[in-house]
Amino acid sequence: MRRKPFAAWPVFDETERRAVLEVLESRVWGGYSPKVSEFERAFAAFHQAAFGIAAANGTVTLEAALLAAGVGPGDEVIVPPVSFIATATAVSRVGATPVFTDIDAASYNLDPARVADAITPRTRAMIPVHFAGQPADMDALPDLARRYNLVVIEDAAHAHGAAWRGRMAGSFGNFGSFSFQQSKTMTAGEGGILLTSDEALAERARAISNQGRCKGGAWYEHTSLGANYRLTGWQAAVLLAQLARLPAQLNRRARNAAVLDRKLGSTGIVRPPAVDPRVTTHGYYLYVLGLNGSIPRDLFLQALEAEGIPGASAYPHPLYRNAVFDALPHRIEDCPEGERFCRECFWVSHEVLLADESDLDDFVRAVEKIRDGSRELVSAARV
Ligand SMILES: Cc1ncc(COP(=O)(O)O)c(C=O)c1O
């Protein structure tokens, strides 16, 4: 059994230390710290968007985007069944109706054909999630949105630095929403940002995030309904440093993912991620694997943990099976692929992809050992 941890996360050094100290000594710690606007500009520019609105997390960014786009009661919003809960509950929190629509069997992202089937006269928006860091189909989904006049909010909480045909995730829709929560590939512990290239939408989202203040208005002048979603100076300073590390980390993860694809693929028991050829950069927030059916997923995960491979996880069920929706308007389209995903797939988190190649070999050996003992494991689990 392996006892050594994989790479530590988050990664930081003197740059973050100095950045936090700089904010401390500036005595401007809150959302009006110049570090916040510097980070908004840098993150938006890196992701090829004109405007960035930093926020407290990647949940309120989704809510602000929906509100800024005028989505509310009576509107339907298409979401995938395989995501973090916030993708769907953000829709409910603005009074609209999430419509759970199936994912594609290979990419685990919203399937454009299923989205087309789910559109009704009430559909106002869709929230494609770039699940695990792989961009959703940014040809077909924006096309459908144009055809049916739908708002697109990309949930890019997993997709910092990811790209589709060379264009950055988060820059295709009316809004792109990112999270900087502890586990994400850029983090300040918590945090989020909305990207848009539409100036009017940017101003509305900023007003919603900043107590309804308008551009050029006074501190106590509130022209619309808002709240306080502001990011702090500390977080922005740390995120500037994290952004500088992102390109090298993306490269390292992609190199290690290629090694794992080859070595794990040849074990015959697990199915490495299928990356759409139009994806030019996969964010690899999660390295997602399928199983060939010789061992149940949860038994496999227990065995992997017993071998000392950390960070393996899976969604137990599609989002719509959470009790929260019992009391909320929602619609469930037929989602056989979402159901299959939750039965058969799992992932290891991105810090495993920052490891040395020898660490990766421990992972491969653990999978081979489970494969070789799978018959015994399955029969022992039956008794
Ligand atoms: C796909 C997705 N959307 C939204 C969120 C919400 O982000 P946060 O935790 O920053 O509120 C998360 C994350 O944790 C996520 O994984």
Side-chain angles (χ1 to χ4, degrees), residues 313-329:
S313 190
Y315 291 132
H317 45 238
L319 289 182
Y320 49 75
R321 287 207 203 291
N322 284 293
V324 58
F325 295 111
D326 293 352
L328 291 170

Side-chain angles (χ1 to χ4, degrees), residues 57-275:
N57 55 62
T59 300
V60 292
T61 48
L62 291 170
E63 291 179 23
L66 287 160
L67 291 169
V71 177
D75 294 332
E76 291 182 348
V77 179
I78 291 172
V79 299
V82 170
S83 182
F84 183 65
I85 191 72
T87 309
T89 46
V91 175
S92 304
R93 284 179 56 84
V94 302
T97 302
V99 176
F100 296 97
T101 306
D102 210 8
I103 52 170
D104 171 72
S107 69
Y108 312 129
N109 281 321
L110 267 182
D111 180 338
R114 301 283 75 79
V115 171
D117 293 343
I119 291 170
T120 72
R122 289 175 58 196
T123 311
R124 273 294 311 281
M126 62 168 92
I127 309 184
V129 175
H130 302 310
F131 184 70
Q134 163 153 227
D137 188 334
M138 287 293 104
D139 294 342
L141 293 171
D143 243 25
L144 276 173
R146 272 188 294 275
R147 188 140 29 108
Y148 292 96
N149 197 24
L150 307 181
V151 171
V152 178
I153 298 166
E154 296 172 65
D155 186 342
H158 298 182
H160 313 77
W164 173 269
R165 293 187 193 275
R167 184 168 159 193
M168 303 302 274
S171 72
F172 289 86
N174 302 81
F175 281 110
S177 168
F178 291 79
S179 162
F180 304 119
Q181 169 266 344
Q182 173 82 30
S183 72
K184 299 298 186 284
T185 53
M186 275 182 61
T187 184
E190 302 286 355
I193 196 168
L194 266 183
L195 300 183
T196 182
S197 291
D198 179 322
E199 191 166 4
L201 282 182
E203 278 183 28
R204 245 176 280 155
R206 190 173 292 287
I208 289 162
S209 310
N210 191 21
Q211 304 287 22
R213 295 188 175 101
C214 62
K215 200 173 173 185
W219 182 254
Y220 288 121
E221 190 183 342
H222 311 277
T223 51
S224 59
L225 184 62
N228 176 2
Y229 294 165
R230 295 188 302 268
L231 187 82
T232 66
W234 314 103
Q235 291 164 295
V238 169
L239 288 167
L240 278 162
Q242 298 272 301
L243 180 61
R245 302 177 192 289
L246 182 67
Q249 290 176 336
L250 284 167
N251 280 337
R252 187 178 181 93
R253 289 193 186 99
R255 268 202 316 276
N256 277 341
V259 171
L260 280 182
D261 287 351
R262 184 165 44 80
K263 294 187 177 178
L264 286 175
S266 63
T267 65
I269 185 176
V270 291
R271 200 174 53 246
V275 181

